[in-house]
Amino acid sequence: MARFNLLLLIAVLATALLLVHTQYRSRQLFTEMERVNAETHRLEVEFDRLQVDKRAQATPLRVEKLAKEQLKMATTTPAITLYVRQDGSVIPAVVSPAPPVPAGGGATTKKGH
């Protein structure tokens, strides 16, 4: 009977140690999970902020301003546009004639009522 009691005592101690170890590991994993969740939230906030910055940087007016100032680009006009045929020959640009200047110095005025 003494051996049986000793065997039961060893089994109870082993089970108690296993339970303590399991609880300790559970707390470690929970702490790690909370840390990862906090990091995930921080990264999501950072991603949202970067998306807003990206949209702000890619506005058409800003792109056009940078193209003109930094890249020295100009808006196209029919006078500077070259049209190329499939065979490689260039079609001459069609420049529209300037509007006629009215007689009397170029400025017209309306007579009032």
Side-chain angles (χ1 to χ4, degrees):
M1 190 70 156
R3 286 185 181 174
F4 184 69
N5 286 340
L6 184 60
L7 184 63
L8 286 177
L9 179 64
I10 291 173
V12 168
L13 288 176
T15 306
L17 288 175
L18 184 62
L19 178 64
V20 168
H21 176 72
T22 303
Q23 287 179 340
Y24 174 75
R25 186 70 180 136
S26 174
R27 287 187 183 117
Q28 279 183 327
L29 291 173
F30 180 77
T31 303
E32 179 70 14
M33 183 182 72
E34 288 299 313
R35 187 190 65 75
V36 168
N37 284 341
E39 179 72 7
T40 300
H41 179 69
R42 186 190 68 77
L43 290 173
E44 286 173 351
V45 168
E46 177 74 8
F47 179 75
D48 291 342
R49 185 188 64 77
L50 290 172
Q51 289 292 83
V52 169
D53 286 349
K54 178 181 163 185
R55 283 191 294 272
Q57 295 292 320
T59 60
L61 291 176
R62 183 175 183 283
V63 171
E64 184 177 352
K65 179 183 172 190
L66 290 174
K68 286 181 180 178
E69 292 175 358
Q70 293 181 2
L71 302 176
K72 308 294 187 232
M73 297 177 95
T75 307
T76 60
T77 62
I80 62 171
T81 303
L82 295 177
Y83 298 95
V84 181
R85 292 187 180 102
Q86 287 182 345
D87 64 1
S89 62
V90 176
I91 301 170
V94 178
V95 179
S96 60
V101 177
T108 58
T109 59
K110 272 188 160 179
K111 303 241 178 196
H113 294 255

